[in-house]
Amino acid sequence: MPQPDHISVLGVPDAGTLDDDLKAIWAKCVEKLGFVPNVYSTYSLRPQRLRNFMAMYNEIMLSPSGLSKLEREMVAVVVSSANRCYYCLVAHGAAVRMLSGDPELGEMMALNYRVAKLDARQRAMLDFAWKMTTTPHLIGDADRDALRAHGLGNEDLFDLAETVAFFNLSNRMASATDMMPNREYHDAVRSPATPAAAKAKKVPAEPGAAR
Amino acid sequence: MPQPDHISVLGVPDAGTLDDDLKAIWAKCVEKLGFVPNVYSTYSLRPQRLRNFMAMYNEIMLSPSGLSKLEREMVAVVVSSANRCYYCLVAHGAAVRMLSGDPELGEMMALNYRVAKLDARQRAMLDFAWKMTTTPHLIGDADRDALRAHGLGNEDLFDLAETVAFFNLSNRMASATDMMPNREYHDAVRSPATPAAAKAKKVPAEPGAAR
Amino acid sequence: MPQPDHISVLGVPDAGTLDDDLKAIWAKCVEKLGFVPNVYSTYSLRPQRLRNFMAMYNEIMLSPSGLSKLEREMVAVVVSSANRCYYCLVAHGAAVRMLSGDPELGEMMALNYRVAKLDARQRAMLDFAWKMTTTPHLIGDADRDALRAHGLGNEDLFDLAETVAFFNLSNRMASATDMMPNREYHDAVRSPATPAAAKAKKVPAEPGAAR
Amino acid sequence: MPQPDHISVLGVPDAGTLDDDLKAIWAKCVEKLGFVPNVYSTYSLRPQRLRNFMAMYNEIMLSPSGLSKLEREMVAVVVSSANRCYYCLVAHGAAVRMLSGDPELGEMMALNYRVAKLDARQRAMLDFAWKMTTTPHLIGDADRDALRAHGLGNEDLFDLAETVAFFNLSNRMASATDMMPNREYHDAVRSPATPAAAKAKKVPAEPGAAR
Amino acid sequence: MPQPDHISVLGVPDAGTLDDDLKAIWAKCVEKLGFVPNVYSTYSLRPQRLRNFMAMYNEIMLSPSGLSKLEREMVAVVVSSANRCYYCLVAHGAAVRMLSGDPELGEMMALNYRVAKLDARQRAMLDFAWKMTTTPHLIGDADRDALRAHGLGNEDLFDLAETVAFFNLSNRMASATDMMPNREYHDAVRSPATPAAAKAKKVPAEPGAAR
Amino acid sequence: MPQPDHISVLGVPDAGTLDDDLKAIWAKCVEKLGFVPNVYSTYSLRPQRLRNFMAMYNEIMLSPSGLSKLEREMVAVVVSSANRCYYCLVAHGAAVRMLSGDPELGEMMALNYRVAKLDARQRAMLDFAWKMTTTPHLIGDADRDALRAHGLGNEDLFDLAETVAFFNLSNRMASATDMMPNREYHDAVRSPATPAAAKAKKVPAEPGAAR
């Protein structure tokens, strides 16, 4: 099994040495998900940076927004596909499968989102995510107007943009640290399920899932 | 479930109208695998071309060679990753999982093969596959010599090259026809298994599996 | 004269050691064309693969199709131009000159097809060939619809796609083996001629020309 | 003067309507810098996201680290150069000029960092920043080892990586919102100065400068 | 101050050894501008080539044309931005600031011209300059027609094209010789000014300014 | 014959209206070569620019230099290949064939110079030409040192660089004006010949050939 055994090539501190607030999060993760997501462990090398990362992550992915949680995960996977980020494609691919109950949707987002039959609004968001990831300097009014035509307002545009931007950060952290995904993600929701049933399996696709 | 319901946007003839030799292959597929691979159905629009495709495919992927069948499938997936071909990543990703019993290996080949801990010979083959796919005009003696240093002879180099070349053909046929993979591939061997056990499930990852 | 003297850097078997069916093809080539195309010699390292290659090649380039033989050769050269494949540009550039009697057409296809004054249907086919070669993952319904608007049906689209796909295979085989073109191609039909006169010169631009 | 007059095309709330903690930050900015950085105003459309952004920014750019503050700003500008981000090149180009007192250094980082005569450790960090920005999927052990050879440890590598990653986020937010830099940055420290003198001018190049 | 101290890595002849016509130009530069532009010094390694370069430069940038001198400088900077040429961005960025009196305009041209609010004719010229620089083989009738729609005639198109072409030459000469800009350019017109006032400062942004 | 009939889409003045010095050059061209090169006719729309272009061209391609005339033409063709410039590939491909007497050499330079068996110094010059054309911002000391190792001095480096730079200008002028090559180039020296014999045919591959 050639997936490397390390969590991060920069090393991971012993969990027993972490500050109490982080230990509490670790405990909640194990209770709810069965494991601590490897992105937490990787970031625990620099504890305050971990706290900032979790705060930003949770706000972007879990707070109220004009984009559904599934849509935000779809964006996450498409950005990670453009950047070919192994960690995020595995972890957030699982999140798409879990939130949708549709394993094929996760695969399409990860491999080539253009094959999916999506509604025009979602397709426009993913096209925007791809362009903003690969050629951000070319983004212009026409790109924003295409989204406004599908009903996105200023706050929706902000939230979409920040989701794209955030995964351009986290993809690069994963590549720079050679971060490996928890093995539990690989087989989560590989057969069609109702989203509720998928969630009941408690396979955490997300750091924030332990919030 | 947004994976399109079509097999190919160019349409697929009624299987009942096919020539007898093709009907026999269809029957053998159903018997052995439970279904006819969609690449066969897509190509049956042009029956003689299907026969040529099957002949070439079977020789490249299944005949004796200095590359193992698993290695040929790994090459297939890495080429398909460079080309972002949904059909081939799904079908041949399943083949890697089945032949190796290692679901993580399939994911790494599809998403970013560079994260995998492989032996140096396999890594060199995959680097060659990537370069030959993305910038074939830059392939030179240094690239071939890197493979020879790992023991590949002239016939091995030929077989590796033809495998890479073939998936550059089939990836493009899949994209041009918007070919959709059989749904059975998606959940095949998503948990670790011995290769023998994986194969016993008879989920066919390959057209040639029905040979 | 710095064109390398080898046919393929992987070596070429002595023609006297080939199977009888291949010897017969070699003889027919010499009789009809004056030489054996180097792609045959290169592939003869792996005889069954040669047979499969010839079968596929002949079907794609020579069988009845909605695309004329000249159009298929134009597609071949444009794909080879995108991939900067020396062998195929020389051999199939000669084929375009021979089939059209127009040496300038061959040069434009090889160097930058966009300068040619073609009818809109041919231009659309070549644009499709370029995109399918360089960014196959971006091919979508709009690209196919542009061709349908010029009257291409499903079988025509299939044949165009397979021609593009095939030269993405053969370009890469030529690059991987450093395959050198037969020198006879270089000066074939360099002055305007009627296609019939060009063909009468019997300079074979094609392996299949010996069929 | 064709620099657009807007701060963000998504609109900016009236500062008088902000929460008290943000009003206090606004006041401190005006006191210390003479203005509120436009990235704050842009983000104030989504107040909690602004708080998270400021927390992450301040930790990455201002907290103790093996990279000097100037080095972190140099990395910021090189990432922004790769992404051609107008806002960040103007704002952080000013920061490099201010922290170094060297206006030419700021220009070289923004326009093509390879022309600068830097020590080998800094050059290696900037090469890493460029590669991690443009082809993150190609980052591997050799890239990290090149930095370790210059004395960077695991925490230094983490901090460098997070700086690169963060500006890949903020560059994209600026492009997505068409964020315009405060005009004060343009003429800050355009003549050589000691860094102390440059700072005494209190032209804030940084949101965090108001911390 | 890490801007290299050399003018050109290929070396520069002692000015005292130059031919009299060149000495006269050197003297006029010092009188009018305070210094000899480094591109002159670099080219003086090959005196006749310098004369040809000056003749072409002066005609393109200073002779009567349908494009204003400022517009030609804007084109020069946008081409240099695409090519990431340090010398030309510094020298011609200064020229844009001087001719316009608008320091922000110079920065936008150098960093990402798409953010500038320009009239549609100027935007179309800069889009053409970018495309002609980065993918000249894709320039076609549609690109020229877009300019004609803004009133450009054949001579205007010629002049625009030659300006773009010339900076594709000079950018590459600067990169190949590691040519460093005169330090005087860096702080020229960094605060808004009337163009007349800017020019009165006599900071020469241009070789031709000494004509 | 789909090569367009125009010389330049920007139009060409009646030769009878040209200034006397240009008429004299036209006459000499017809006398020596049988025709006026189309690049002259294209540029005659702007007569002074034509004079500057001819002066620069003749100095670069025909004056004494450490690079032979054939080597300069090889560089011209390789640059034009990178830029996919139809006019220059046809005209200067013919020049390579004429100066070398080797039609295959011209084809290799135009189609993929890497296949040619050249001496290491020539190969290094062509690699430099390709890199300086496609990614000039990446040229650094290592690239120049590779040429110095083959004996190139500062003036040789200058001449090589200016040749590369010049064809980056002329390629773009040809693309911008849709300049068509004189038809005489197409069949010039398509069979091996001694260079002397090739030249005796007086097919002018070069504007400067009429000097």
Side-chain angles (χ1 to χ4, degrees):
Chain A
M1 301 235 206
Q3 182 176 301
D5 285 326
H6 62 249
I7 291 175
S8 153
V9 286
L10 302 187
V12 170
D14 183 329
T17 67
L18 297 176
D19 293 339
D20 285 348
D21 63 323
L22 298 177
K23 275 185 186 152
I25 292 174
W26 260 230
K28 202 191 284 187
C29 285
V30 172
E31 178 199 331
K32 283 201 169 183
L33 318 170
F35 62 85
V36 177
N38 283 348
V39 65
Y40 283 21
S41 302
T42 296
Y43 254 90
S44 69
L45 182 70
R46 299 289 268 153
Q48 186 50 42
R49 293 167 187 249
L50 169 58
R51 291 182 189 100
N52 295 333
F53 178 88
M54 292 189 294
M56 185 179 276
Y57 179 90
N58 288 336
E59 184 68 24
I60 291 173
M61 297 306 280
L62 302 174
S63 75
S65 167
L67 281 68
S68 74
K69 288 181 190 176
L70 173 57
E71 286 170 345
R72 285 177 261 180
E73 290 290 349
M74 290 164 65
V75 166
V77 178
V78 167
V79 169
S80 305
S81 175
N83 287 327
R84 299 186 185 276
C85 175
Y86 180 61
Y87 181 95
C88 297
L89 286 166
V90 170
H92 293 277
V96 169
R97 299 195 301 272
M98 199 172 312
L99 290 174
S100 66
D102 180 358
E104 295 167 5
L105 180 63
E107 291 295 273
M108 289 188 289
M109 295 301 102
L111 301 178
N112 186 353
Y113 75 92
R114 297 165 194 85
V115 304
K117 294 295 178 204
L118 301 171
D119 66 56
R121 176 178 156 279
Q122 290 182 331
R123 173 64 190 254
M125 293 196 301
L126 299 182
D127 286 344
F128 187 86
W130 189 272
K131 184 173 183 180
M132 193 179 139
T133 295
T134 55
T135 52
H137 64 295
L138 299 183
I139 290 283
D141 286 339
D143 301 294
R144 285 177 289 262
D145 290 348
L147 292 166
R148 292 186 194 280
H150 290 294
L152 277 78
N154 284 329
E155 296 197 7
D156 303 326
L157 281 165
F158 191 101
D159 293 0
L160 171 58
E162 206 189 13
T163 309
V164 175
F166 179 79
F167 283 93
N168 273 286
L169 175 153
S170 61
N171 288 174
R172 283 175 178 82
M173 284 306 287
S175 293
T177 61
D178 202 25
M179 196 190 296
M180 285 300 117
N182 302 70
R183 296 201 144 100
E184 287 83 352
Y185 295 126
H186 286 292
D187 66 353
V189 193
R190 289 297 187 177
S191 302
T194 63
K199 271 192 159 171
K201 290 194 186 175
K202 278 187 178 173
V203 183
E206 291 307 318
R211 200 165 63 155
Chain B
M1 300 233 207
Q3 182 176 300
D5 285 326
H6 64 248
I7 291 175
S8 153
V9 287
L10 302 187
V12 169
D14 184 329
T17 67
L18 296 176
D19 293 340
D20 285 347
D21 64 323
L22 297 177
K23 277 185 187 152
I25 292 174
W26 261 230
K28 202 192 284 187
C29 286
V30 172
E31 178 199 330
K32 283 201 169 182
L33 319 170
F35 61 85
V36 178
N38 284 347
V39 64
Y40 283 21
S41 301
T42 296
Y43 254 90
S44 70
L45 183 70
R46 298 289 268 154
Q48 186 50 43
R49 292 165 187 251
L50 168 59
R51 291 182 189 100
N52 294 334
F53 178 87
M54 291 190 295
M56 185 180 275
Y57 179 91
N58 288 337
E59 184 67 24
I60 291 174
M61 297 305 280
L62 303 174
S63 76
S65 167
L67 281 68
S68 74
K69 288 180 189 176
L70 173 57
E71 286 170 344
R72 286 177 260 179
E73 289 291 349
M74 289 164 65
V75 166
V77 178
V78 166
V79 169
S80 304
S81 176
N83 288 327
R84 299 186 185 275
C85 174
Y86 180 62
Y87 181 95
C88 297
L89 286 166
V90 170
H92 293 277
V96 168
R97 298 195 304 271
M98 199 172 310
L99 290 174
S100 67
D102 180 358
E104 295 168 5
L105 181 63
E107 290 295 272
M108 289 188 288
M109 295 301 103
L111 301 178
N112 186 353
Y113 75 92
R114 297 165 195 85
V115 304
K117 295 294 177 205
L118 302 171
D119 67 55
R121 176 179 156 279
Q122 289 181 332
R123 173 63 190 255
M125 293 197 301
L126 299 182
D127 286 344
F128 187 87
W130 189 273
K131 184 172 184 180
M132 193 179 140
T133 296
T134 56
T135 52
H137 63 295
L138 299 184
I139 290 284
D141 287 338
D143 300 295
R144 285 178 289 262
D145 290 347
L147 292 166
R148 292 187 193 280
H150 290 295
L152 277 77
N154 283 330
E155 296 197 7
D156 302 326
L157 280 166
F158 191 100
D159 293 0
L160 171 58
E162 206 189 14
T163 308
V164 175
F166 179 79
F167 282 93
N168 273 286
L169 175 153
S170 61
N171 288 174
R172 283 175 177 80
M173 283 308 286
S175 292
T177 61
D178 202 25
M179 195 190 297
M180 286 299 117
N182 301 70
R183 295 200 144 101
E184 288 82 351
Y185 294 126
H186 285 293
D187 65 354
V189 194
R190 288 297 186 176
S191 302
T194 64
K199 272 193 157 172
K201 289 193 187 175
K202 278 188 179 171
V203 183
E206 291 306 320
R211 200 164 66 155
Chain C
M1 302 236 205
Q3 181 175 300
D5 285 325
H6 63 249
I7 291 175
S8 153
V9 288
L10 302 187
V12 170
D14 183 330
T17 66
L18 296 176
D19 293 340
D20 285 348
D21 64 324
L22 298 177
K23 275 185 186 152
I25 292 175
W26 262 230
K28 202 192 284 187
C29 286
V30 172
E31 178 200 330
K32 284 201 169 183
L33 318 170
F35 61 85
V36 178
N38 284 347
V39 64
Y40 283 21
S41 301
T42 296
Y43 254 91
S44 70
L45 183 70
R46 298 289 267 154
Q48 186 51 41
R49 292 166 188 250
L50 169 59
R51 290 183 189 99
N52 294 334
F53 178 87
M54 292 190 294
M56 186 180 276
Y57 178 91
N58 288 336
E59 183 69 22
I60 291 174
M61 297 305 280
L62 302 174
S63 75
S65 167
L67 281 68
S68 75
K69 288 181 189 176
L70 173 57
E71 287 169 345
R72 285 176 262 180
E73 290 290 350
M74 290 164 64
V75 167
V77 178
V78 167
V79 169
S80 304
S81 176
N83 288 327
R84 299 186 184 277
C85 175
Y86 180 61
Y87 181 94
C88 297
L89 286 166
V90 170
H92 293 278
V96 168
R97 298 195 302 272
M98 199 171 311
L99 290 174
S100 66
D102 180 359
E104 295 168 6
L105 181 63
E107 291 295 272
M108 289 187 289
M109 295 301 103
L111 302 177
N112 186 354
Y113 75 93
R114 296 165 195 86
V115 304
K117 294 294 178 207
L118 302 171
D119 67 57
R121 176 178 156 279
Q122 289 181 332
R123 173 63 190 255
M125 293 197 301
L126 299 182
D127 287 344
F128 187 87
W130 188 272
K131 184 173 184 180
M132 193 179 140
T133 296
T134 56
T135 51
H137 63 296
L138 299 183
I139 291 283
D141 286 338
D143 301 294
R144 285 177 288 262
D145 290 347
L147 293 167
R148 293 187 194 280
H150 289 294
L152 278 77
N154 284 330
E155 296 197 7
D156 302 326
L157 281 166
F158 191 101
D159 293 0
L160 171 58
E162 206 189 12
T163 309
V164 174
F166 179 80
F167 283 93
N168 273 286
L169 176 153
S170 61
N171 288 175
R172 284 175 176 80
M173 283 307 287
S175 292
T177 61
D178 202 25
M179 197 191 295
M180 286 299 117
N182 303 69
R183 296 200 144 100
E184 287 83 351
Y185 295 126
H186 284 293
D187 66 355
V189 195
R190 289 296 186 177
S191 303
T194 62
K199 273 192 157 173
K201 290 194 187 176
K202 278 187 179 171
V203 183
E206 292 305 320
R211 198 165 66 153
Chain D
M1 300 234 206
Q3 182 175 300
D5 285 324
H6 63 249
I7 291 174
S8 153
V9 287
L10 302 186
V12 169
D14 184 328
T17 67
L18 296 175
D19 293 339
D20 285 347
D21 64 323
L22 298 177
K23 276 184 186 153
I25 291 174
W26 261 230
K28 202 191 283 186
C29 285
V30 172
E31 179 199 329
K32 284 201 169 181
L33 319 170
F35 62 85
V36 178
N38 283 348
V39 64
Y40 282 22
S41 302
T42 298
Y43 254 91
S44 70
L45 183 69
R46 297 290 266 155
Q48 187 51 41
R49 292 167 187 250
L50 169 58
R51 291 183 188 99
N52 295 333
F53 178 88
M54 291 189 295
M56 185 180 276
Y57 178 91
N58 288 336
E59 184 68 24
I60 291 174
M61 296 305 280
L62 303 174
S63 75
S65 166
L67 280 68
S68 74
K69 288 180 189 175
L70 173 57
E71 286 170 345
R72 286 176 261 179
E73 289 291 349
M74 289 164 64
V75 167
V77 178
V78 167
V79 170
S80 303
S81 175
N83 287 327
R84 300 186 185 276
C85 175
Y86 180 62
Y87 181 95
C88 297
L89 286 166
V90 169
H92 293 277
V96 168
R97 298 195 302 272
M98 198 172 310
L99 291 173
S100 66
D102 180 358
E104 295 168 5
L105 181 63
E107 291 295 273
M108 289 188 289
M109 295 302 102
L111 301 177
N112 186 354
Y113 75 93
R114 297 165 194 87
V115 304
K117 294 293 179 207
L118 302 171
D119 66 56
R121 177 178 156 279
Q122 289 182 332
R123 173 64 190 254
M125 292 197 302
L126 299 182
D127 286 344
F128 187 87
W130 189 272
K131 184 172 183 181
M132 193 179 140
T133 296
T134 56
T135 51
H137 64 295
L138 299 184
I139 290 283
D141 287 338
D143 301 295
R144 285 178 289 261
D145 290 347
L147 293 167
R148 294 187 193 278
H150 290 294
L152 278 77
N154 283 330
E155 296 196 8
D156 302 326
L157 281 166
F158 191 101
D159 293 0
L160 171 59
E162 206 189 13
T163 308
V164 175
F166 179 79
F167 283 93
N168 272 287
L169 175 153
S170 61
N171 288 175
R172 284 175 177 80
M173 283 307 286
S175 292
T177 62
D178 202 25
M179 197 190 296
M180 286 299 116
N182 301 70
R183 296 201 144 100
E184 287 83 351
Y185 295 126
H186 285 292
D187 65 354
V189 195
R190 288 298 185 176
S191 302
T194 62
K199 272 193 158 173
K201 290 193 186 176
K202 278 188 179 171
V203 184
E206 292 305 320
R211 198 165 65 154
Chain E
M1 300 235 206
Q3 182 175 301
D5 285 325
H6 63 250
I7 291 175
S8 153
V9 288
L10 302 187
V12 169
D14 183 329
T17 66
L18 296 176
D19 293 340
D20 285 347
D21 64 323
L22 298 177
K23 276 184 186 153
I25 292 174
W26 261 230
K28 202 191 286 187
C29 286
V30 171
E31 178 199 330
K32 283 200 169 182
L33 318 171
F35 61 84
V36 179
N38 284 348
V39 64
Y40 283 22
S41 302
T42 297
Y43 254 91
S44 69
L45 183 70
R46 298 290 266 155
Q48 187 50 42
R49 293 167 186 250
L50 169 59
R51 292 183 189 99
N52 294 334
F53 178 88
M54 291 189 295
M56 185 180 276
Y57 179 91
N58 288 336
E59 185 68 24
I60 291 174
M61 296 305 280
L62 303 173
S63 75
S65 167
L67 280 68
S68 74
K69 288 181 189 175
L70 173 57
E71 286 170 345
R72 286 176 261 180
E73 290 290 350
M74 289 164 65
V75 167
V77 178
V78 167
V79 169
S80 304
S81 175
N83 288 327
R84 298 186 185 275
C85 175
Y86 180 62
Y87 181 95
C88 297
L89 286 166
V90 170
H92 293 277
V96 168
R97 297 195 303 271
M98 198 171 312
L99 290 173
S100 67
D102 180 357
E104 295 167 4
L105 181 63
E107 292 294 272
M108 289 188 288
M109 295 301 102
L111 301 178
N112 186 354
Y113 75 92
R114 296 166 195 85
V115 304
K117 294 294 177 206
L118 302 171
D119 66 56
R121 177 178 156 278
Q122 289 181 331
R123 174 62 190 255
M125 292 196 302
L126 299 182
D127 287 343
F128 187 86
W130 188 273
K131 184 173 183 179
M132 193 179 139
T133 296
T134 55
T135 51
H137 63 294
L138 299 183
I139 290 283
D141 287 339
D143 300 295
R144 285 178 290 261
D145 290 348
L147 293 166
R148 293 186 194 280
H150 290 294
L152 277 78
N154 284 330
E155 297 196 8
D156 302 326
L157 281 166
F158 191 101
D159 293 1
L160 171 58
E162 206 189 12
T163 308
V164 174
F166 179 79
F167 283 93
N168 273 286
L169 176 153
S170 61
N171 288 174
R172 283 175 177 81
M173 284 306 286
S175 293
T177 62
D178 202 25
M179 196 190 297
M180 286 298 118
N182 302 70
R183 295 200 144 101
E184 288 83 351
Y185 295 126
H186 285 293
D187 66 354
V189 195
R190 288 297 187 177
S191 302
T194 63
K199 272 193 157 171
K201 291 194 186 175
K202 280 188 176 171
V203 183
E206 293 305 320
R211 198 165 64 155
Chain F
M1 300 236 205
Q3 182 176 301
D5 285 325
H6 63 249
I7 291 174
S8 153
V9 287
L10 302 186
V12 170
D14 183 328
T17 67
L18 297 176
D19 293 339
D20 285 347
D21 65 323
L22 298 177
K23 277 185 185 152
I25 291 174
W26 261 230
K28 202 191 285 187
C29 285
V30 172
E31 178 199 330
K32 283 201 170 185
L33 319 171
F35 61 85
V36 178
N38 284 348
V39 65
Y40 283 21
S41 302
T42 297
Y43 254 90
S44 69
L45 183 70
R46 298 289 268 153
Q48 187 50 42
R49 293 167 187 251
L50 168 59
R51 291 183 189 99
N52 295 333
F53 178 87
M54 291 189 295
M56 185 179 277
Y57 179 92
N58 288 337
E59 184 68 24
I60 291 174
M61 297 305 280
L62 302 174
S63 75
S65 167
L67 280 68
S68 74
K69 288 181 188 175
L70 173 57
E71 286 169 346
R72 285 176 262 179
E73 289 292 349
M74 289 164 65
V75 167
V77 178
V78 167
V79 170
S80 304
S81 175
N83 287 327
R84 300 186 184 275
C85 176
Y86 180 62
Y87 181 95
C88 297
L89 286 166
V90 170
H92 293 278
V96 169
R97 298 195 303 272
M98 199 170 312
L99 290 173
S100 67
D102 180 358
E104 295 167 6
L105 181 62
E107 291 295 272
M108 289 188 288
M109 295 301 102
L111 301 177
N112 186 354
Y113 75 92
R114 297 166 194 84
V115 304
K117 295 295 178 204
L118 302 171
D119 66 56
R121 176 178 156 279
Q122 290 182 332
R123 173 62 191 255
M125 292 196 303
L126 300 182
D127 286 344
F128 187 87
W130 189 272
K131 185 173 183 179
M132 192 178 141
T133 295
T134 55
T135 52
H137 64 295
L138 299 184
I139 290 283
D141 287 338
D143 301 295
R144 285 177 288 262
D145 290 347
L147 293 166
R148 292 186 194 281
H150 290 294
L152 277 78
N154 284 329
E155 296 197 7
D156 302 326
L157 280 166
F158 191 101
D159 293 0
L160 171 58
E162 206 188 13
T163 309
V164 175
F166 179 78
F167 283 93
N168 273 287
L169 176 152
S170 62
N171 288 174
R172 282 174 178 81
M173 283 307 287
S175 292
T177 62
D178 202 24
M179 197 189 295
M180 286 299 117
N182 302 70
R183 296 201 144 100
E184 288 82 351
Y185 294 126
H186 285 293
D187 66 355
V189 195
R190 289 296 187 178
S191 301
T194 63
K199 271 193 157 171
K201 290 193 187 177
K202 277 187 178 171
V203 183
E206 292 305 320
R211 198 166 64 155

